[in-house]
Each structure stands twice: as C-alpha cells, then as structure tokens.
Amino acid sequence: MTIHDVSTGALDVLALSERLRDEGYLILENAVGGWALERARDDLAPCFAQAPFCDGLFYGHTTKRFGRLLSRLRDPDVFALHPVIMALVQSALGDASVQLNLTQAIEIHPGAPVQTPHRDHDMWRCAKTPPVTYMVNVMWALDGFTADNGATRVWPRSNHGDWNEMLPREVDARSAVAPAGSAIVFLGQTLHSGGANRSAKPRRGMIFSYCHDWLLPDENPWLAYPPSVARTFSPALADLVGYRQRFAGLNNFEGRSPAELLRGDLPEFFRFADDMSPEQQALIEQYHASLDGLAAA
Ligand SMILES: O=C(O)CCC(=O)C(=O)O
Ligand SMILES: [Fe+2]
C-alpha cells in the first residue's frame, strides 16, 4: 500500500513522485497538523449543514457538495499550497505552470452507494494519450476514511495506457483508508470513485485539484474568487487561481497581469507591456536591426 506518514519527518519527494507515476495514487498520512484539521472541520461544518443534497446519479443523491473552499477556510494556504503536494503536482505535470482546477467539499451520507468509477481528466474532451498527465487530485480526509464509511476507492496502476476499461473489476479497487488529516493524491487519469457509506455517520472530505494553466479549470476561478475576495489571499494563492499573466501576455487584463487588480486604486488605462521569451525578443530586435540596415543603405 502506498502510504507515507508526513508527521514522521522528511519525505523523499522524488521517490514519492515516482510512486505516484507508477501506482497512480499515494496516501500522505497526517499531511496537516491537528490544529489545521480542526479549524477546517469547524469552518466547513456550517456549510455542510446548509448545502443541499446533489442531483444526479454520478454525484449521488445522498452526497452533499460545495465549492469555493478558499474563501470558506480560514487557512486555505495550508491545504492549497502544501509544499509536499505542490512538489508532487509540479513533478507530475512536468512544468511549473500549475493552476487550481477546483476545490470541492464532499460529504457522503450513510446509505450512499459506491460512485461510478471514473477518470477526472475526462472533463476535458481532448485526446488522452497516455502517459500525459493533465491534472492531479488531492482528496483531504476531514474524517478518518474507512472501507465502511465511503473512503475514496482507487484502481492502482489504472493510470497506465493498457488500462482502458471504464467498468473495472470491483475486486481490483482499493479503499484509500486513512486517518483524518491525510491527503490522498491521485492522477487525473487514475480510475477512482467515492465509496459506499455503510456506517452510521457521514464521511467528509475536500478535493483540491490542480491542472496545467492552459486548460479551462473546472471551477471558474474569477467568479469563485473575484478581485474583492482574491485581494485577501496570499500572492501565491492568488497566483494559483489565475491572477497572473501567462507567457506572451496570455490571460492579461488591459495588457498587464491580472494580479494588478488586487492592488489599491486602479487607473482607467494601463500601460501595455511586452512579455516575450528571450528567443522572441531576439527575433524582434533582429527584425528592427534589419530595417535600420535597409534605411542606412
Ligand atoms: O468522494 C470521493 O471520495 C470521490 C469523489 C469523486 O471522485 C468525484 O466526485 O469526482
Ligand atoms: Fe472523481
């Protein structure tokens, strides 16, 4: 079983990344301290109480969900920017341009059946040629996850190209049994599903998922976190939800980084500024030099 206890000291993130790539998932036990867990549980308790049950067979009529966790938690950075998880995500996605794909709290109520197995990256309808990884999911256990109370189920190694079936064998599923405060990390191409809750209490968890920053995120970040909300975020958190300009001006606001919307007073007009790669900059300069050469001739 791919379990690593974060509270017991330094972790070999490289080895963990390899394990994630091989197995398709891993469990980081006790990934946050007790205080962070307690605060998160307290923060979300009233939300779970108010949220309605879901609609539809996939979500399940006996589960509750809500998003926008970054503004519902007092300590969003602890979860969203967890250093071990960020290192795993960056390694899995193969570059540094990561954005938050969604946050979602999920409560599976007693009597809920197993969820349909699925690969979360199927939300993007592009070619899924293995072994491309589009996203990494992190399920935070707010309660202890047990085989009886609906622990997320994963199909180990289902992230590999020879695993194409959407209706896998139940006997091959593994319940991600983990104490509260653990993080279950799995790839977007890893087959998984919520478990059946045969216990007497609801099972609570929260998903933070990450993807390449050129993909449309599942949860619209600017509606979830408009500037008035993102202004209260740490710069790294605001960056993670899209308040940044991408390469060559992609995702700009008035020719500048959207992060400028999070500062004091805004001018009516901004100064558009180039944002070129060194190669592009060199080509532009070469072109202008060639014009100067022609004029001089
Ligand atoms: O609740 C769970 O354990 C998993 C839920 C899930 O995978 C989903 O809704 O996409
Ligand atoms: Fe899922």
PDB file of all heavy atoms in Angstrom, residues 3 42 87 105 107 116 157 183 214 222:
ATOM      1  N   ILE A   3       1.450   4.224   1.381  1.00  0.00           N
ATOM      2  CA  ILE A   3       1.145   5.143   2.477  1.00  0.00           C
ATOM      3  C   ILE A   3       2.435   5.741   3.023  1.00  0.00           C
ATOM      4  O   ILE A   3       3.401   5.023   3.235  1.00  0.00           O
ATOM      5  CB  ILE A   3       0.394   4.417   3.617  1.00  0.00           C
ATOM      6  CG1 ILE A   3      -0.951   3.930   3.087  1.00  0.00           C
ATOM      7  CG2 ILE A   3       0.210   5.320   4.816  1.00  0.00           C
ATOM      8  CD1 ILE A   3      -1.791   3.230   4.112  1.00  0.00           C
ATOM      9  N   ASP A  42     -14.157  22.828  11.529  1.00  0.00           N
ATOM     10  CA  ASP A  42     -15.069  23.833  12.102  1.00  0.00           C
ATOM     11  C   ASP A  42     -15.571  24.798  11.028  1.00  0.00           C
ATOM     12  O   ASP A  42     -16.737  25.176  11.006  1.00  0.00           O
ATOM     13  CB  ASP A  42     -14.355  24.656  13.184  1.00  0.00           C
ATOM     14  CG  ASP A  42     -14.143  23.835  14.448  1.00  0.00           C
ATOM     15  OD1 ASP A  42     -14.673  22.719  14.521  1.00  0.00           O
ATOM     16  OD2 ASP A  42     -13.407  24.313  15.339  1.00  0.00           O
ATOM     17  N   ALA A  87       5.062  20.081  -4.721  1.00  0.00           N
ATOM     18  CA  ALA A  87       6.217  19.442  -5.384  1.00  0.00           C
ATOM     19  C   ALA A  87       5.754  18.235  -6.199  1.00  0.00           C
ATOM     20  O   ALA A  87       6.211  18.030  -7.337  1.00  0.00           O
ATOM     21  CB  ALA A  87       7.241  19.027  -4.334  1.00  0.00           C
ATOM     22  N   ALA A 105     -15.881  20.395  -1.448  1.00  0.00           N
ATOM     23  CA  ALA A 105     -16.098  19.602  -0.239  1.00  0.00           C
ATOM     24  C   ALA A 105     -17.148  18.550  -0.567  1.00  0.00           C
ATOM     25  O   ALA A 105     -18.109  18.832  -1.293  1.00  0.00           O
ATOM     26  CB  ALA A 105     -16.583  20.500   0.892  1.00  0.00           C
ATOM     27  N   GLU A 107     -19.486  15.353   1.114  1.00  0.00           N
ATOM     28  CA  GLU A 107     -19.962  14.602   2.281  1.00  0.00           C
ATOM     29  C   GLU A 107     -20.788  13.425   1.772  1.00  0.00           C
ATOM     30  O   GLU A 107     -21.801  13.618   1.096  1.00  0.00           O
ATOM     31  CB  GLU A 107     -20.834  15.516   3.150  1.00  0.00           C
ATOM     32  CG  GLU A 107     -21.262  14.892   4.456  1.00  0.00           C
ATOM     33  CD  GLU A 107     -22.071  15.890   5.289  1.00  0.00           C
ATOM     34  OE1 GLU A 107     -23.129  16.359   4.805  1.00  0.00           O
ATOM     35  OE2 GLU A 107     -21.663  16.214   6.404  1.00  0.00           O
ATOM     36  N   THR A 116     -19.876   5.816  -9.464  1.00  0.00           N
ATOM     37  CA  THR A 116     -19.381   5.216 -10.710  1.00  0.00           C
ATOM     38  C   THR A 116     -17.884   5.489 -10.849  1.00  0.00           C
ATOM     39  O   THR A 116     -17.454   6.645 -10.708  1.00  0.00           O
ATOM     40  CB  THR A 116     -20.088   5.853 -11.933  1.00  0.00           C
ATOM     41  OG1 THR A 116     -21.489   5.802 -11.710  1.00  0.00           O
ATOM     42  CG2 THR A 116     -19.726   5.137 -13.224  1.00  0.00           C
ATOM     43  N   ARG A 157      -2.590   1.503 -10.551  1.00  0.00           N
ATOM     44  CA  ARG A 157      -1.963   1.361 -11.869  1.00  0.00           C
ATOM     45  C   ARG A 157      -2.951   1.568 -13.024  1.00  0.00           C
ATOM     46  O   ARG A 157      -2.618   1.307 -14.180  1.00  0.00           O
ATOM     47  CB  ARG A 157      -1.240   0.019 -11.987  1.00  0.00           C
ATOM     48  CG  ARG A 157      -0.112  -0.149 -10.950  1.00  0.00           C
ATOM     49  CD  ARG A 157       0.740  -1.364 -11.198  1.00  0.00           C
ATOM     50  NE  ARG A 157       1.325  -1.380 -12.532  1.00  0.00           N
ATOM     51  CZ  ARG A 157       2.363  -0.655 -12.907  1.00  0.00           C
ATOM     52  NH1 ARG A 157       2.945   0.145 -12.051  1.00  0.00           N
ATOM     53  NH2 ARG A 157       2.811  -0.722 -14.143  1.00  0.00           N
ATOM     54  N   ALA A 183      -3.836  13.171   3.104  1.00  0.00           N
ATOM     55  CA  ALA A 183      -4.115  13.602   1.734  1.00  0.00           C
ATOM     56  C   ALA A 183      -3.974  12.389   0.822  1.00  0.00           C
ATOM     57  O   ALA A 183      -2.945  11.715   0.846  1.00  0.00           O
ATOM     58  CB  ALA A 183      -3.144  14.700   1.326  1.00  0.00           C
ATOM     59  N   TRP A 214      -3.003  26.034 -18.952  1.00  0.00           N
ATOM     60  CA  TRP A 214      -3.606  26.340 -20.262  1.00  0.00           C
ATOM     61  C   TRP A 214      -4.919  25.583 -20.460  1.00  0.00           C
ATOM     62  O   TRP A 214      -5.526  25.663 -21.521  1.00  0.00           O
ATOM     63  CB  TRP A 214      -2.629  26.054 -21.395  1.00  0.00           C
ATOM     64  CG  TRP A 214      -1.834  24.781 -21.259  1.00  0.00           C
ATOM     65  CD1 TRP A 214      -0.577  24.654 -20.754  1.00  0.00           C
ATOM     66  CD2 TRP A 214      -2.250  23.454 -21.608  1.00  0.00           C
ATOM     67  NE1 TRP A 214      -0.187  23.339 -20.769  1.00  0.00           N
ATOM     68  CE2 TRP A 214      -1.186  22.586 -21.293  1.00  0.00           C
ATOM     69  CE3 TRP A 214      -3.423  22.930 -22.173  1.00  0.00           C
ATOM     70  CZ2 TRP A 214      -1.253  21.202 -21.518  1.00  0.00           C
ATOM     71  CZ3 TRP A 214      -3.479  21.558 -22.386  1.00  0.00           C
ATOM     72  CH2 TRP A 214      -2.407  20.719 -22.059  1.00  0.00           C
ATOM     73  N   TRP A 222     -12.469  33.096 -11.441  1.00  0.00           N
ATOM     74  CA  TRP A 222     -12.701  34.539 -11.242  1.00  0.00           C
ATOM     75  C   TRP A 222     -14.104  34.822 -10.728  1.00  0.00           C
ATOM     76  O   TRP A 222     -14.360  35.855 -10.144  1.00  0.00           O
ATOM     77  CB  TRP A 222     -12.415  35.311 -12.530  1.00  0.00           C
ATOM     78  CG  TRP A 222     -11.007  35.098 -12.955  1.00  0.00           C
ATOM     79  CD1 TRP A 222      -9.883  35.535 -12.323  1.00  0.00           C
ATOM     80  CD2 TRP A 222     -10.566  34.322 -14.065  1.00  0.00           C
ATOM     81  NE1 TRP A 222      -8.776  35.084 -12.975  1.00  0.00           N
ATOM     82  CE2 TRP A 222      -9.152  34.349 -14.051  1.00  0.00           C
ATOM     83  CE3 TRP A 222     -11.212  33.620 -15.085  1.00  0.00           C
ATOM     84  CZ2 TRP A 222      -8.384  33.698 -15.011  1.00  0.00           C
ATOM     85  CZ3 TRP A 222     -10.455  32.976 -16.042  1.00  0.00           C
ATOM     86  CH2 TRP A 222      -9.060  33.018 -15.995  1.00  0.00           C
TER      87      TRP A 222
END
